[in-house]
Amino acid sequence: MQVAINDIIILFAFTPIVAVLLGISNIKVPYATLFLSVILFVIVPFSAGFITRTTVIKNRGLEYFEKSFLPKFNNITITGLLLTLVIIFSFQGDIIIKNPTHILLIAIPLTI
């Protein structure tokens, strides 16, 4: 439930908040890029999860979904999250160290 609420908030608030905060720092990011980020990283996974949940429950039932289907993905999701963090920090390490203010400005809307 927390992830769903977070996704809904990000869906509507992320683009304007990031645009304002980056504008304060004189960093120009096109709105199209911000909207594309929301589409790729929020709408697509959220929709895929909704469709998968609906389809599996319709075809196999809620008990199968909760007791068999979801547990299959526990290790995959944790591994994917950790791998994503490692990749982000390995490719952006120099930028993160050189621009702590920018990182803070990006973290604010994510924290909200």
Side-chain angles (χ1 to χ4, degrees):
M1 185 62 137
Q2 179 184 1
V3 173
I5 292 170
N6 184 51
D7 283 351
I8 291 169
I9 291 169
I10 288 176
L11 183 64
F12 296 105
F14 182 77
T15 298
I17 291 171
V18 169
V20 168
L21 292 174
L22 290 175
I24 292 170
S25 298
N26 292 323
I27 299 173
K28 304 295 182 206
V29 176
Y31 273 96
T33 302
L34 296 175
F35 286 124
L36 181 62
S37 296
V38 171
I39 290 168
L40 291 176
F41 298 111
V42 178
I43 294 174
V44 170
F46 190 75
S47 299
F50 177 77
I51 292 167
T52 301
R53 176 184 169 84
T54 304
T55 304
V56 171
I57 290 174
K58 181 181 175 185
N59 293 331
R60 294 285 193 107
L62 183 61
E63 184 175 343
Y64 172 81
F65 180 77
E66 291 177 346
K67 299 209 170 126
S68 297
F69 186 78
L70 287 181
K72 293 176 185 177
F73 295 96
N74 284 342
N75 292 332
I76 294 171
T77 55
I78 292 170
T79 304
L81 176 61
L82 292 174
L83 184 60
T84 301
L85 292 173
V86 168
I87 290 170
I88 289 171
F89 286 105
S90 65
F91 285 120
Q92 301 297 328
D94 290 339
I95 295 170
I96 292 169
I97 292 171
K98 291 177 185 174
N99 301 305
T101 306
H102 296 160
I103 302 307
L104 180 64
L105 290 174
I106 293 169
I108 291 171
L110 295 175
T111 303
I112 291 172

